[in-house]
Amino acid sequence: MNIKQTDKKYIAGTYGRFDLALVKGKGSLVYDENGKEYIDLGTGIAVNIFGVGDDEWKKAVEAQLDAIPHASNLYFTEPCARLAEMLCEKTGMSKVFFGNSGAEANECAIKAARKWGLVNKGEGYSTIITLKNSFHGRTVTTLAATGQDGYHTDFGPFTEGFVYADAHDAADVERLADENKCCAVMMEPVQGEGGVYPLSKEFVSLVLAIAKEKNLLVITDEVQTGNGRTGELYAYMNYGFRPDIFTTAKGLGGGLPIGACVFGEKTADILTPGSHGSTFGGNPAACAGACSILSRIDTALLDGVKKKSEYIISQLKNAKGVEDISGMGLMLGIKPVRPKAEIIEECMQNGVLVLGAKEKIRLLPALNIPDDLLAKGIEVLKEALAKC
Ligand SMILES: *Cc1c(COP(=O)(O)O)cnc(C)c1O
């Protein structure tokens, strides 16, 4: 059997894969089993932020594989301490918990927020306000946190204690805060899986005021928006505030699994010995790679992200077959006139990989994608969009 047949026979049927098997890649180019080349505008869903197999990242990981690839959290290891230090120094936050995925990072934030509610507000102050159309992960609790009915079937009973506010209506947040014993409000600055919708600055500033008045923690889910993706190191920085907790994953590892829950002053000491853990969390090889990634997300790179973003928007804004563009930085959603599936398929045939999100085409290219490859990729997308 070939790769595709074996996969179909033995892999649990949770993924609707495209008819494409990738065998290698470098930077923003990936190759299938027949040697066909593709320009990658999806980066493994915002993971390969410096492209596939970035040299510096690879060197850092390889050096750590030679030193000690895994040790357990019973002992100190250098890469996770260095990575946590760098995360805190670059954000003004205080402490970090490492897991292996976005869902795990969010689970940690949810546990910490509930314990904070118990300690600071009293028994029962455990409800977390999340937003409609959000996405927070696939575990039973992060599915419950996800504000989309479609995710709340088949696997119940789900974790209690989540209420969902309209992402355009701060009055709804206030109402839910009054009606429930709440500890926190949790939001993606740009709703990714929900269709690449940035929260408005006005909505965010009203939510911050409500959180302050009602003594609620503010949690941002930066799993997709984090690590330079939106043109700032973390997307909350576009809104001019600092959350009490933020979570991140995807791009932080540059291609290896890692998730981080990052605590500000108010929440830094909420989790105590034995209250949380993860066998692989803070894995030295993943953290060594992440240190290499995070250390290179600097002003010059972020300026590049903004320029590339402007380029894409200028190319597609008034292009034929485009109804609308939304997003921030190199996290962009294009609403096509044609069904998105046809466009994704046609781009793939013409050697360009793009993603979908709800009814949109979603672009998440490498933050350092060379301008000529980006231009070529956008040209192919433009042609596919125009056939409507
Ligand atoms: C991808 C994503 C998650 C889940 O991350 P996993 O690593 O798949 O568990 C959570 N929140 C947001 C905003 C995401 O984009």
Side-chain angles (χ1 to χ4, degrees):
M1 285 193 292
N2 67 24
I3 305 168
K4 291 170 191 170
Q5 288 163 336
T6 308
D7 184 293
K8 279 184 184 149
K9 177 154 187 216
Y10 292 107
I11 294 291
T14 62
Y15 301 110
R17 300 197 205 277
F18 291 105
D19 186 23
L20 173 62
L22 294 175
V23 295
K24 62 173 190 173
K26 191 72 200 162
S28 287
L29 293 172
V30 293
Y31 300 86
D32 72 11
E33 47 193 339
N34 306 313
K36 182 175 167 186
E37 183 178 273
Y38 299 83
I39 297 171
D40 180 14
L41 302 182
T43 53
I45 317 187
V47 166
N48 300 314
I49 59 175
F50 285 101
V52 172
D54 169 73
D55 286 328
E56 274 188 51
W57 169 83
K58 212 169 107 186
K59 242 198 273 166
V61 172
E62 280 173 354
Q64 191 58 44
L65 290 178
D66 286 339
I68 182 165
H70 178 76
S72 99
N73 282 305
L74 298 173
Y75 312 106
F76 293 99
T77 53
E78 186 173 2
C80 78
R82 290 275 169 258
L83 180 60
E85 177 185 43
M86 208 188 307
L87 272 166
C88 290
E89 285 182 348
K90 281 173 174 274
T91 58
M93 300 293 274
S94 304
K95 283 207 159 113
V96 183
F97 175 86
F98 288 119
N100 307 284
S101 67
E104 211 184 332
N106 286 339
E107 287 272 347
C108 178
I110 291 162
K111 280 178 75 173
R114 290 187 165 173
K115 174 104 186 278
W116 180 89
L118 176 71
V119 170
N120 291 279
K121 299 182 75 173
E123 191 74 47
Y125 281 86
S126 55
T127 299
I128 298 174
I129 301 169
T130 64
L131 300 182
K132 289 179 182 163
N133 199 45
S134 57
F135 181 80
H136 296 296
R138 299 283 191 169
T139 61
V140 170
T141 295
T142 56
L143 279 175
T146 293
Q148 300 188 53
D149 292 340
Y151 288 98
H152 300 159
T153 60
D154 301 353
F155 307 113
F158 289 94
T159 308
E160 291 173 14
F162 293 95
V163 291
Y164 315 103
D166 189 325
H168 306 283
D169 184 7
D172 206 30
V173 176
E174 184 159 30
R175 178 182 62 80
L176 290 170
D178 288 335
E179 287 174 0
N180 299 278
K181 290 168 100 177
C182 295
C183 59
V185 52
M186 178 168 170
M187 51 199 179
E188 299 156 88
V190 183
Q191 296 188 326
E193 301 303 312
V196 200
Y197 292 105
L199 300 178
S200 77
K201 293 208 163 141
E202 193 199 355
F203 174 81
V204 171
S205 76
L206 290 169
V207 169
L208 295 177
I210 292 162
K212 192 169 177 198
E213 191 199 319
K214 317 259 182 215
N215 195 22
L216 306 177
L217 296 176
V218 175
I219 304 170
T220 60
D221 177 344
E222 302 263 1
V223 170
Q224 190 164 154
T225 54
N227 314 299
R229 176 61 48 195
T230 67
E232 295 290 341
L233 181 56
Y234 291 99
Y236 67 77
M237 294 169 177
N238 293 294
Y239 295 83
F241 75 104
R242 188 158 64 209
D244 299 303
I245 299 174
F246 76 83
T247 59
T248 192
K250 291 195 169 96
L252 180 62
L256 282 174
I258 190 168
C261 180
V262 185
F263 301 103
E265 243 167 62
K266 269 198 226 173
T267 52
D269 299 315
I270 278 294
L271 294 178
T272 49
S275 66
H276 198 46
S278 170
T279 300
F280 278 105
N283 171 268
C287 286
C291 282
S292 154
I293 296 288
L294 193 61
S295 70
R296 285 180 286 150
I297 305 176
D298 55 14
T299 314
L301 183 83
L302 295 173
D303 285 346
V305 169
K306 288 173 195 148
K307 285 207 187 89
K308 291 177 203 295
S309 176
E310 281 162 21
Y311 169 77
I312 298 172
I313 293 168
S314 73
Q315 286 296 304
L316 297 179
K317 195 169 49 191
N318 299 312
K320 186 155 183 267
V322 175
E323 279 190 6
D324 177 52
I325 303 186
S326 62
M328 255 188 214
L330 288 177
M331 180 174 180
L332 294 169
I334 296 122
K335 193 170 176 194
V337 173
R338 275 172 91 187
K340 76 163 180 200
E342 290 178 21
I343 290 166
I344 294 172
E345 193 62 44
E346 192 168 317
C347 284
M348 199 155 61
Q349 272 163 23
N350 293 323
V352 175
L353 301 184
V354 300
L355 303 168
K358 289 279 173 71
E359 74 286 2
K360 303 260 189 81
I361 298 294
R362 178 172 40 158
L363 302 181
L364 299 165
L367 306 187
N368 65 350
I369 185 172
D371 288 337
D372 59 329
L373 284 184
L374 181 61
K376 257 184 166 167
I378 294 300
E379 200 47 48
V380 167
L381 172 61
K382 224 170 152 175
E383 276 168 32
L385 286 162
K387 282 189 203 159
C388 58

